[in-house]
Amino acid sequence: MNRLTLTTATLLATVSLAATAHARPMTPEDVAKLESVGAIAVSPDGSRIAYTTSSLPDVTEGEDNGGSTSELNVTTAPDAARQYLPEDISPGGVAFSPDGRMVTFLWSKDKDDRAVWGVPVDGGTYVKLAAVEDTGVRSYRFSPDGGTIFMLTGPGEDEQREAQRKGGFTARVYEEEFRPARLFAATVGEELDEEPREIALPGFVSAFDVSSDGRMGIIETTPTPLVDDSYTSMRVNVIDLATGEVTAVVETPGKIGDVEISPDGSQLSLIAGVDMNDPAATTLHLVDTATGAYRALNAGAAEAARDAEWLPDGRLAVVVHIGVQSELRVYNADGSVDHAHDPGELILTRVEAAGDRIAVAANSPQHPTELFVWADGGFQRWTSHNEWLSDITFGEQRAYTFTATDGQEVEGVLILPVGGVPEGGAPTIMNVHGGPEAHDSNGWQTAYSKPGQVAAGQGYAVFLPNYRGSTAYGVDFSKQHQGNYTDPEFRDIVDAKAALAADGITDADRTGITGGSYGGYASAWGATYYSAEFAASVMFVGISDQTSKFGTTDIPYEMYNVHSRAWPWDDWQKMLEVSPIYYTDRATTPILIMHGEEDTRVDPSQSMELYRFLRVRQPDTPVRLVFYPGEGHGNRMAASRYDYNLRMMEWFDTYLMTGDRTAEMPAPRPQLAEGAKGAEAPEAEEE
C-alpha cells in the first residue's frame, strides 16, 4: 500500500468513526422537542406559501409547561422561509387576502375575543381586520373582491346565565343547554367594522365556505352540537350568502370529511362515508350544487381519500392513501382520472393549491410533517425542521404483510431495532392504532404515545398493524369488525405476532402491546383475554367494559352504527364477553394504565374498572393506574406528553425487555431530564 492510499484509508476511517460517534438513538427528550408543519396556505398567484410550525414548550430544558403553539412563516422557495409575527403570537386559520397582499390569521390579543388579523406580505405591523363583539371568531372567509370577511362565531354571551353564575348558580344541564354558532359579514376598510351584518343560519353550523363569485356558500350542519351528531347526522347545505336561505341539501347518509367548492361553483368535492354504517369518510364524491345530487368516484376501491383541493383549471387534486402508502391523484372536472403522482417514501396528508403552485404536507420514516411543492416532476422539499434528526440512528422501517388464520391478508408498518434483529428475535411492541377506523402509514411513526424510533433505539422491534376495521383498504375491510368486537380485529394482532416470530423478527416470549382509545381496548384485551401472548401492556384512554362504556361515552349512536351494530340490552352476556374485565381471571400480563381525567369519549372510569378488577382478582400481577389532570382523550400539555413517554418506555424496559412478568414495578415518579423543572436535584457533597 502506497502512502497516498494509506493516508486516504486513514482519513476515510477517521470520518467513519466520527460519524459513528456522532450518531445516537432517539430518546423521549428528543420526542419532546419535535416540530412539524401545521397549516398551509398558497397565495392567489402561487408566488408565496404561508405555513405554521407547531411545537410544544421544551419542558426537558426547563421551559414552562403548556400546550401546542404555532409560528407563522412565509416562503417563496426552498429553505427561504421568513418568520412574520412575534413569538408570543400563536396564529390559527392562516390564509391570504384575495389580492395576495396580506397574510391573514386568527388570534386572541390579551383577553380579547378571537378576531381576524392581517400582516402585509411586504413587511409591516399586524392589524385587526374584523371582529364580532362578545364572541370569538371560529373560522372566516373573504369575498372574492376582498371587501367582505365572513365569520363563523360562537353564540355570544348568555346574559342570564352569566348573572346567575356571579350569584353562585353554576349548575349545568347535561346535553341540553345548546346555543348555535352565528355567521357575520364584516366590511373591510380603513376602520374596523363595529357592526357586522348577521346572516341567519339553520341548525347548528360547524363549518362553512364561500364560492369564488361570493354569492353562494356551503355550511355543515347538525341537529345539535353533540359529538355524536357530528358523526351520524351532519349534512352539507348550499346557501344563498345574501339571505342565508338553503338552496340545496346534500343528503349523504354517512360521515362527512373534507368539502371543497369548485372554481366555477357548479360542483363540490366531498369526502364522505357511503352509508350510515361506513366507519369513516374515505370515499370521494362530486356534488351538483344546484340540486345536491352526488356520485361517488372511488366507491369500493381499496384506498382512502384524505384531502382534496380544486386547481384553478377546474381539475381536482386529491391525497389518497392506499394501504401504508399514498399518492396525489388528479381528477378531471367530469370525475375521470387525469393522472397520479407517486411521492415515493413520502406520506402525503394535505394538499393546497393556487396559481400554478401545488403544495402538500408530507412526512416520511425519517422526519415529521414538512412542506413540499410539486415541481419538475417531483415533490420538492421546502422546509427542514428538526435538523438534529440527522444525528439520529434510525431503525429500518418498511411495510410488512402477513396472512391471518382465516386467510385475510393484513398489512402494517414494521420498525426494526437499530443494529438489526438479534438471533432468536427482538423484543417487539405491537403499537395498535385507535378508531379502529384509522390506519398507520409508512411514514413518521414516533410520538409521545407511539414508541417508534425511541423503542428501536433501545433494541425493540415495533409493529403497527392495520388490523380489520382499519381504513385505506376499502369500506368492506373497515366493516369486517362490525357486530363482533375483538374478533377478528384483535386476533389479527396475535396472528401478526406469530408471523413475525416465524420470520425470525420477534421473540414470541417478549412481545408487548400498546395503544390509545380503541388501541387501548386492544391493549386491555391483550393483557387479559390474550394474556398468555403478551409480556407487557401499556393501555391509554382505553375500553375495559363495553356496557358501562356505552353509558358514559359521548358517541353512543356512532358506536352502534359502525362498531357494535347492536345495543347492550340486545344481548347483555355478549357485550360482557367482549369486555376485558370479564377475563381478568387469566391476567398475568403487567399492565400500565394511563388516562386523562377529563376524557368524555372514553370515561376515566373504564381505566378505573380494569385497575380495580386486576388489583382485587390478580393481586400478584403488576398493575399501575396513572391519571392526568386536565387532559382528555389524549394528552395535550407538554409535561403530560413527556411524562407519558417516559412511563411507557420504562414499563416496557422493566417487563418486556427482560421478559420477567414478576419484576418489581418502576418507581411511581419517572426520572426526568436533568434540565426539567422538578427533576431530582443532585445530593449535596459532604465537606
Side-chain angles (χ1 to χ4, degrees):
M1 181 181 292
N2 61 38
R3 182 172 180 177
L4 177 60
T5 304
L6 180 62
T7 303
T8 303
T10 303
L11 286 171
L12 289 173
T14 302
V15 170
S16 178
L17 286 170
T20 302
H22 197 47
R24 61 178 180 81
M26 183 172 266
T27 67
E29 288 70 36
D30 293 323
V31 176
K33 294 176 171 63
L34 288 169
E35 292 182 302
S36 62
V37 168
I40 297 172
V42 183
S43 65
D45 64 359
S47 64
R48 293 180 173 90
I49 300 177
Y51 68 92
T52 59
T53 53
S54 300
S55 62
L56 291 162
D58 187 359
V59 292
T60 72
E61 296 292 343
E63 292 185 12
D64 291 338
N65 187 31
S68 178
T69 58
S70 297
E71 177 185 283
L72 176 63
N73 301 272
V74 177
T75 185
T76 58
D79 299 317
R82 182 161 69 92
Q83 187 174 339
Y84 261 61
L85 295 172
E87 290 185 356
D88 61 347
I89 294 181
S90 181
V94 174
F96 280 91
S97 59
D99 61 9
R101 296 171 62 183
M102 273 195 165
V103 182
T104 57
F105 57 95
L106 294 173
W107 177 50
S108 177
K109 182 180 181 181
D110 300 325
K111 295 183 179 181
D112 293 342
D113 290 316
R114 208 175 187 208
V116 183
W117 296 73
V119 59
V121 296
D122 294 326
T125 189
Y126 49 91
V127 295
K128 185 183 289 189
L129 301 178
V132 176
E133 186 179 1
D134 81 9
T135 187
V137 179
R138 296 177 178 176
S139 60
Y140 68 99
R141 295 290 187 273
F142 278 92
S143 62
D145 63 4
T148 302
I149 295 179
F150 297 94
M151 297 172 287
L152 186 67
T153 76
E157 184 178 351
D158 184 335
E159 295 181 0
Q160 181 188 38
R161 183 166 185 78
E162 181 61 20
Q164 291 182 351
R165 185 191 67 79
K166 291 179 179 178
F169 299 95
T170 58
R172 179 173 60 90
V173 182
Y174 186 60
E175 292 190 349
E176 285 190 36
E177 298 184 279
F178 305 135
R179 299 175 65 224
R182 298 175 292 169
L183 185 66
F184 290 88
T187 300
V188 180
E190 293 184 4
E191 299 294 329
L192 189 70
D193 185 348
E194 301 287 353
E195 297 183 357
R197 172 175 60 92
E198 183 171 358
I199 301 172
L201 294 176
F204 292 86
V205 177
S206 57
F208 82 106
D209 203 356
V210 175
S211 65
S212 58
D213 65 6
R215 298 178 181 178
M216 178 263 286
I218 57 171
I219 55 174
E220 297 176 26
T221 64
T222 52
T224 76
L226 291 174
V227 175
D228 216 15
D229 275 352
S230 72
Y231 285 139
T232 64
S233 307
M234 182 175 286
R235 296 292 180 268
V236 176
N237 303 260
V238 182
I239 66 170
D240 182 324
L241 271 178
T243 64
E245 178 188 356
V246 175
T247 60
V249 179
V250 187
E251 299 281 1
T252 48
K255 294 180 178 179
I256 300 296
D258 180 61
V259 190
E260 305 287 344
I261 306 174
S262 66
D264 64 5
S266 66
Q267 296 191 98
L268 306 178
S269 66
L270 169 64
I271 298 175
V274 298
D275 57 45
M276 183 181 294
N277 304 120
D278 190 344
T282 60
T283 300
L284 179 66
H285 300 74
L286 289 182
V287 180
D288 181 351
T289 55
T291 65
Y294 59 91
R295 60 189 176 98
L297 300 187
N298 65 334
E303 61 188 35
R306 288 290 303 270
D307 191 38
E309 178 78 357
W310 290 95
L311 305 179
D313 62 8
R315 292 180 300 164
L316 182 68
V318 185
V319 171
V320 180
H321 283 198
I322 305 167
V324 299
Q325 302 304 140
S326 71
E327 72 176 24
L328 184 67
R329 187 179 302 162
V330 178
Y331 288 85
N332 294 310
D334 63 2
S336 61
V337 176
D338 186 85
H339 64 279
H341 300 301
D342 180 359
E345 71 167 7
L346 292 178
I347 300 300
L348 312 182
T349 55
R350 300 188 306 280
V351 57
E352 298 290 339
D356 60 354
R357 187 81 73 192
I358 298 177
V360 298
N363 61 80
S364 83
Q366 287 78 40
H367 64 77
T369 301
E370 298 284 2
L371 169 64
F372 289 79
V373 168
W374 177 256
D376 300 325
F379 289 97
Q380 187 179 62
R381 184 169 175 174
W382 275 34
T383 60
S384 298
H385 300 90
N386 311 299
E387 293 184 355
W388 51 267
L389 284 173
S390 61
D391 299 340
I392 301 298
T393 302
F394 289 94
E396 178 191 343
Q397 181 173 319
R398 57 182 170 86
Y400 180 87
T401 302
F402 64 95
T403 302
T405 51
D406 61 0
Q408 174 69 55
E409 292 290 307
V410 180
E411 189 182 37
V413 178
L414 175 64
I415 305 173
L416 298 178
V418 171
V421 177
E423 185 177 351
T428 300
I429 301 171
M430 297 290 181
N431 185 186
V432 186
H433 66 69
E437 59 273 23
H439 62 273
D440 280 313
S441 298
N442 190 22
W444 184 254
Q445 287 295 350
T446 305
Y448 80 94
S449 63
K450 296 173 77 71
Q453 292 292 343
V454 172
Q458 296 181 19
Y460 297 95
V462 179
F463 185 60
L464 302 100
N466 285 331
Y467 55 101
R468 248 77 69 91
S470 300
T471 53
Y473 299 89
V475 174
D476 289 345
F477 185 89
S478 65
K479 286 184 175 181
Q480 281 196 44
H481 82 294
Q482 291 182 349
N484 196 18
Y485 282 129
T486 75
D487 190 353
E489 55 192 4
F490 297 160
R491 178 164 47 83
D492 285 348
I493 302 168
V494 174
D495 289 344
K497 171 193 167 182
L500 289 163
D503 286 343
I505 296 168
T506 290
D507 180 344
D509 293 328
R510 292 188 296 160
T511 303
I513 186 169
T514 189
S517 193
Y518 212 87
Y521 179 26
S523 302
W525 194 253
T528 54
Y529 183 88
Y530 280 130
S531 185
E533 300 284 351
F534 296 104
S537 174
V538 176
M539 170 191 179
F540 188 37
V541 294
I543 302 162
S544 69
D545 181 346
Q546 285 289 5
T547 299
S548 61
K549 195 264 186 178
F550 174 84
T552 54
T553 187
D554 58 1
I555 53 168
Y557 285 97
E558 198 261 358
M559 282 178 60
Y560 174 86
N561 287 344
V562 306
H563 299 306
S564 64
R565 301 293 295 271
W567 303 111
W569 47 87
D570 291 337
D571 190 337
W572 292 108
Q573 184 62 27
K574 180 181 178 181
M575 201 65 78
L576 183 60
E577 290 178 3
V578 292
S579 299
I581 57 168
Y582 190 68
Y583 302 98
T584 48
D585 63 319
R586 60 177 77 173
T588 62
T589 302
I591 182 170
L592 172 62
I593 306 169
M594 295 188 275
H595 215 124
E597 283 190 345
E598 308 303 320
D599 191 352
T600 57
R601 181 62 38 80
V602 178
D603 193 272
S605 60
Q606 290 292 302
S607 288
M608 178 64 82
E609 282 191 51
L610 184 59
Y611 171 80
R612 188 60 69 208
F613 271 73
L614 288 169
R615 288 283 289 178
V616 173
R617 201 173 188 187
Q618 296 286 0
D620 294 330
T621 296
V623 57
R624 172 169 288 159
L625 174 59
V626 178
F627 283 127
Y628 289 100
E631 299 288 9
H633 197 59
N635 289 354
R636 182 179 61 87
M637 302 295 278
S640 297
R641 291 188 170 197
Y642 176 47
D643 180 274
Y644 182 100
N645 197 268
L646 289 172
R647 291 181 186 276
M648 173 178 65
M649 294 312 305
E650 188 175 43
W651 195 263
F652 283 135
D653 287 347
T654 301
Y655 297 106
L656 179 55
M657 182 61 73
T658 64
D660 182 2
R661 298 186 181 212
T662 64
E664 184 178 350
M665 285 200 295
R669 297 292 173 186
Q671 182 63 52
L672 304 178
E674 186 176 336
K677 293 180 178 178
E680 293 181 4
E683 296 182 3
E685 295 183 3
E686 295 183 4
E687 295 183 359

Coordinates of all heavy atoms in Angstrom, one line a residue, residues 228 232 276-277 482-483 485 550 555-570 575:
D228 N -71.7 13.1 18.9 CA -72.4 12.0 18.2 C -73.1 12.5 17.0 O -73.1 11.8 15.9 CB -73.4 11.4 19.2 CG -73.5 9.9 19.0 OD1 -72.6 9.3 18.4 OD2 -74.4 9.3 19.6
T232 N -73.0 11.2 13.0 CA -74.1 10.4 12.5 C -75.1 11.3 11.7 O -75.9 10.7 10.9 CB -74.9 9.7 13.6 OG1 -75.4 10.8 14.5 CG2 -73.9 8.8 14.4
M276 N -74.6 4.8 6.3 CA -74.6 5.1 7.8 C -73.7 4.2 8.5 O -73.2 4.5 9.6 CB -76.1 4.9 8.3 CG -76.2 5.2 9.8 SD -77.9 5.0 10.4 CE -78.7 6.3 9.5
N277 N -73.4 3.0 8.0 CA -72.5 2.0 8.7 C -71.1 2.1 8.2 O -70.3 1.3 8.7 CB -73.1 0.6 8.5 CG -74.5 0.5 9.0 OD1 -75.4 0.1 8.2 ND2 -74.8 0.8 10.3
Q482 N -67.3 -5.2 12.4 CA -68.6 -4.8 13.0 C -69.5 -5.9 13.5 O -69.5 -7.0 12.9 CB -69.4 -4.0 11.9 CG -68.7 -2.7 11.6 CD -69.5 -1.9 10.6 OE1 -70.4 -2.3 9.9 NE2 -69.1 -0.6 10.4
G483 N -70.1 -5.7 14.6 CA -71.0 -6.7 15.2 C -70.3 -7.8 15.9 O -70.9 -8.7 16.4
Y485 N -67.0 -7.4 18.2 CA -65.9 -6.8 18.9 C -64.8 -7.8 19.2 O -65.1 -9.0 19.6 CB -66.3 -6.2 20.2 CG -67.0 -4.8 20.2 CD1 -68.2 -4.6 20.9 CD2 -66.4 -3.7 19.5 CE1 -68.8 -3.4 20.9 CE2 -67.0 -2.5 19.6 CZ -68.2 -2.3 20.2 OH -68.8 -1.1 20.2
F550 N -70.7 2.3 27.0 CA -71.9 2.8 26.2 C -72.6 3.8 27.1 O -73.0 4.9 26.5 CB -72.8 1.7 25.9 CG -74.1 2.1 25.3 CD1 -74.2 2.4 23.9 CD2 -75.3 2.3 26.0 CE1 -75.4 2.8 23.3 CE2 -76.4 2.8 25.5 CZ -76.5 3.1 24.1
I555 N -70.5 9.2 22.3 CA -70.8 8.7 20.9 C -71.6 7.4 20.9 O -71.2 6.5 20.2 CB -69.5 8.6 20.1 CG1 -68.5 7.7 20.8 CG2 -68.9 9.9 19.7 CD1 -67.3 7.3 19.9
P556 N -72.7 7.3 21.7 CA -73.4 6.1 21.7 C -74.0 5.6 20.4 O -73.9 4.4 20.0 CB -74.5 6.3 22.7 CG -74.7 7.8 22.7 CD -73.3 8.4 22.5
Y557 N -74.5 6.5 19.6 CA -75.1 6.1 18.3 C -74.0 5.8 17.3 O -74.2 4.9 16.5 CB -76.0 7.3 17.7 CG -77.3 7.3 18.4 CD1 -77.5 8.2 19.5 CD2 -78.4 6.5 18.1 CE1 -78.7 8.3 20.1 CE2 -79.6 6.6 18.7 CZ -79.8 7.5 19.8 OH -81.0 7.5 20.4
E558 N -72.9 6.5 17.3 CA -71.8 6.2 16.4 C -71.2 4.8 16.8 O -70.9 4.0 15.9 CB -70.6 7.2 16.6 CG -69.6 7.2 15.4 CD -68.4 6.4 15.7 OE1 -68.2 6.0 16.9 OE2 -67.5 6.3 14.9
M559 N -71.2 4.4 18.1 CA -70.8 3.1 18.5 C -71.7 2.0 17.9 O -71.2 1.0 17.4 CB -70.8 3.0 20.0 CG -69.6 3.6 20.7 SD -69.8 3.4 22.5 CE -69.9 1.6 22.7
Y560 N -73.0 2.3 17.9 CA -74.0 1.4 17.4 C -73.8 1.2 15.9 O -73.8 0.1 15.3 CB -75.4 1.8 17.7 CG -76.5 1.0 17.1 CD1 -76.9 -0.2 17.7 CD2 -77.0 1.3 15.9 CE1 -77.9 -1.0 17.1 CE2 -78.0 0.6 15.3 CZ -78.4 -0.6 15.9 OH -79.4 -1.4 15.4
N561 N -73.7 2.4 15.2 CA -73.7 2.4 13.7 C -72.5 1.7 13.1 O -72.7 0.9 12.1 CB -73.8 3.8 13.2 CG -75.1 4.5 13.4 OD1 -76.1 3.8 13.6 ND2 -75.2 5.8 13.3
V562 N -71.3 1.9 13.6 CA -70.1 1.5 12.9 C -69.3 0.5 13.7 O -68.2 0.0 13.3 CB -69.3 2.7 12.5 CG1 -70.1 3.7 11.7 CG2 -68.6 3.4 13.7
H563 N -69.7 0.2 14.9 CA -68.9 -0.8 15.7 C -69.8 -2.0 16.2 O -69.7 -3.1 15.6 CB -68.3 -0.1 17.0 CG -67.4 1.0 16.6 ND1 -66.3 0.8 15.8 CD2 -67.3 2.3 17.0 CE1 -65.7 2.0 15.6 NE2 -66.3 2.9 16.4
S564 N -70.6 -1.8 17.2 CA -71.3 -2.9 17.8 C -72.4 -3.5 16.9 O -72.7 -4.7 16.9 CB -71.9 -2.5 19.2 OG -72.9 -1.5 19.0
R565 N -73.1 -2.6 16.2 CA -74.3 -2.9 15.4 C -75.4 -3.6 16.2 O -76.2 -4.4 15.7 CB -73.9 -3.8 14.2 CG -72.9 -3.2 13.2 CD -73.5 -2.0 12.5 NE -74.5 -2.4 11.6 CZ -74.4 -2.7 10.3 NH1 -73.1 -2.8 9.8 NH2 -75.4 -3.0 9.6
A566 N -75.3 -3.4 17.5 CA -76.3 -3.9 18.5 C -76.3 -3.1 19.7 O -75.2 -2.5 20.0 CB -76.0 -5.4 18.8
W567 N -77.4 -3.1 20.5 CA -77.4 -2.3 21.7 C -77.0 -3.3 22.9 O -77.2 -4.5 22.7 CB -78.8 -1.8 22.0 CG -79.3 -0.9 20.9 CD1 -80.3 -1.1 20.0 CD2 -78.9 0.4 20.6 NE1 -80.5 -0.1 19.2 CE2 -79.6 0.9 19.5 CE3 -77.8 1.2 21.1 CZ2 -79.4 2.1 18.9 CZ3 -77.6 2.5 20.5 CH2 -78.4 2.9 19.4
P568 N -76.5 -2.8 23.9 CA -76.1 -3.7 25.0 C -77.3 -4.5 25.5 O -77.0 -5.7 25.8 CB -75.7 -2.7 26.1 CG -75.2 -1.5 25.4 CD -76.1 -1.3 24.2
W569 N -78.5 -4.0 25.5 CA -79.6 -4.8 26.1 C -80.1 -5.8 25.1 O -80.9 -6.7 25.4 CB -80.8 -3.8 26.4 CG -81.1 -2.8 25.4 CD1 -81.9 -2.9 24.3 CD2 -80.5 -1.5 25.3 NE1 -81.9 -1.8 23.5 CE2 -81.1 -0.9 24.1 CE3 -79.7 -0.8 26.1 CZ2 -80.8 0.4 23.7 CZ3 -79.4 0.6 25.7 CH2 -79.9 1.1 24.6
D570 N -79.6 -5.8 23.9 CA -79.9 -6.9 22.9 C -79.3 -8.2 23.4 O -79.9 -9.3 23.1 CB -79.4 -6.6 21.5 CG -80.1 -5.4 20.9 OD1 -81.3 -5.2 21.3 OD2 -79.6 -4.8 19.9
M575 N -72.1 -8.6 25.3 CA -71.4 -7.4 25.5 C -70.4 -7.6 26.6 O -69.3 -7.1 26.6 CB -72.3 -6.3 25.8 CG -71.8 -4.9 25.6 SD -71.4 -4.6 23.8 CE -73.0 -4.2 23.2

